[in-house]
Every structure is written in structure tokens, then in C-alpha cells.
Amino acid sequence: MNSEFQAQLLVVEDEPKVAAFIKKGLQTQSYAVEVAMTGEQAKNLLTSSRFDLIILDVNLPDITGLELAEYIRARPSQVPILMLTALDTVADKLLGFEAGADDYLAKPFDFMELLARVKVLLRRSAVVQQPEQILRVADLELDLHERVARRNGQTIALTAREYTLLEYLMRNAGRVVSRVDIAEQVWDVGFDTGTNVIDVYVSYLRAKIDKNSPTKLIHTLIGMGYVIKEK
């Protein structure tokens, strides 16, 4: 059986028509869908039920979607979060990703694009990780089971987006990956490669991974992309 068609989805959206539109569309694809109109309703549902993906509007009547995303990640939870918002600047996207969003879709949106992103996020989260599976580059390790990064034995605090980016780089250790590669594999469908979001996130990651170590692992090859390796 395909696990995608059994997925439990939570839609957090305070506009009744939008919420009903999303719910109906997803149900036609055989997803089970719950709707919360406020952040508090969402928190109650998250306490009582398990969800495979959350579609989260930024503008809620009680708390913001950013605050709710931070609450979800603090539980902690790695459930994929697809954030919806009428705001579509690079700064807005960075705020969403920093809060814990895995993907970002601006309103108004086409339902088929929403569905494509839902499927990609569900496929990614459904990948079974082997117990104690660890990626290593020099003294940097990424525990795929615990979803924790460590360098020289010290735990490194990463956001969900930073973790995904680091995992992609480490799975391709020694190989140069382009911005387009990263956009397709880390940011998924429809990412605007014309923005500098990827460069910003590589900088965030480099600051956390390399800042306190004499050996730099994340390297930029101008005009080509990025690579993680020992020099």
C-alpha cells in the first residue's frame, strides 16, 4: 500500500473558504484531513493526534503561523511543514524557514502546485532511516536516526532547513553541487533560483559548522556551487 494515500494532514487556516478548498481537494486525493482555524485549535489537535504533514497559514487570528511552527519544532517534531502566506519576499521566506518550515507557497496558489509539494514532502519524510546511520566528513557527523549534527563531539543546533541542506551536502561529500541542484533537492518544487536564499542558508550553515574549527569543511567554488570536504 502507498503510505502517501494514508497520510494524515493538518490544515491550519483561518479563512473558511480557503480551508474548505484545500480540505476538499486533498480528500479527493485520498488524504485524511483535519482543519484548525486557530493556533490553539492546532495545538489541541497536535496533542491528541499524529500528523504526517502540516499545511500552515502564516496569518492566524490568535498566534502567528511562525510562532506555531516554532512551537511544533520545540516539541520537538520533524513533521513536514508547508507554510502558506500572502507575503512572498525573500525576507518572509527566510523567517518561515527559520521558524521551521520545510517549504513555502505564496497565496494565491494553484491546487496542483500545492498537491505536488505535499507529495514531495511526504515522500521525503517517509524515507526509512536505518538505526544509528551516520554520515561523516572529517570530525563532522550527522546522525540520521536522531537527526542531530555534531562536530568534534559537540552538538550543533540546526533548524530543519539547515539540517536538510547539511544532509544533502554530506551525502554528496567531495562533489560540487550547484545552486540548481540544491534548489531541486532541498527546496523542492517551484523554488525561485533567482533569489539568494540558498546563499544565505549556506552562510548560516558555514557559521555553525566551521566558525569554531580551524579546519573549514564547506567551500564555495565561484560560478560552480558548493562542496563539503576536507581541504
Side-chain angles (χ1 to χ4, degrees):
M1 287 183 288
N2 189 328
S3 61
E4 280 188 5
F5 295 107
Q6 300 170 352
Q8 308 290 315
L9 276 55
L10 174 60
V11 176
V12 188
E13 169 62 65
D14 68 319
E15 297 181 44
K17 290 183 179 179
V18 175
F21 166 72
I22 295 173
K23 180 176 182 179
K24 182 178 180 180
L26 291 172
Q27 286 178 329
T28 64
Q29 301 297 312
S30 300
Y31 294 110
V33 184
E34 292 276 0
V35 173
M37 308 295 288
T38 67
E40 287 304 315
Q41 287 180 10
K43 287 182 180 181
N44 291 335
L45 285 169
L46 288 166
T47 300
S48 60
S49 304
R50 184 191 68 82
F51 294 97
D52 299 296
L53 182 140
I54 299 170
I55 298 173
L56 174 58
D57 185 34
V58 168
N59 297 314
L60 299 173
D62 49 354
I63 63 174
T64 69
L66 297 175
E67 292 171 322
L68 183 55
E70 290 173 345
Y71 166 83
I72 293 167
R73 293 296 179 236
R75 290 172 63 87
S77 171
Q78 294 297 329
V79 60
I81 298 174
L82 173 57
M83 194 164 280
L84 304 178
T85 179
L87 306 174
D88 194 28
T89 68
V90 171
D92 294 319
K93 291 179 180 179
L94 287 173
L95 286 173
F97 291 139
E98 282 297 295
D102 294 278
D103 202 356
Y104 194 104
L105 187 58
K107 294 180 176 180
F109 55 84
D110 181 85
F111 177 76
M112 294 309 295
E113 182 177 4
L114 172 70
L115 181 61
R117 293 179 185 232
V118 164
K119 288 183 175 181
V120 168
L121 290 173
L122 287 173
R123 278 198 298 270
R124 177 189 295 169
S125 66
V127 173
V128 177
Q129 304 291 356
Q130 297 300 319
E132 300 180 357
Q133 185 178 356
I134 295 177
L135 300 178
R136 289 187 176 88
V137 176
D139 57 352
L140 173 67
E141 65 177 32
L142 192 66
D143 189 317
L144 302 179
H145 183 58
E146 296 183 7
R147 296 183 68 84
V148 171
R150 300 182 183 91
R151 184 153 193 198
N152 195 26
Q154 300 297 310
T155 299
I156 301 168
L158 299 175
T159 65
R161 182 64 58 176
E162 289 166 352
Y163 175 92
T164 305
L165 176 57
L166 180 59
E167 180 181 354
Y168 179 66
L169 290 172
M170 292 184 71
R171 286 188 182 278
N172 292 276
R175 183 173 78 87
V176 179
V177 292
S178 69
R179 295 175 77 257
V180 172
D181 292 333
I182 295 172
E184 291 177 349
Q185 299 300 321
V186 179
W187 264 265
D188 301 322
V189 182
F191 181 76
D192 182 4
T193 56
T195 71
N196 67 339
V197 169
I198 291 172
D199 306 307
V200 171
Y201 266 82
V202 171
S203 296
Y204 288 162
L205 200 55
R206 182 180 281 123
K208 292 184 177 183
I209 299 300
D210 287 339
K211 182 178 180 181
N212 297 316
S213 177
T215 303
K216 309 308 178 186
L217 298 179
I218 300 175
H219 307 284
T220 301
L221 280 74
I222 297 175
M224 298 176 64
Y226 302 97
V227 61
I228 189 166
K229 66 175 182 177
E230 286 188 90
K231 273 193 173 180

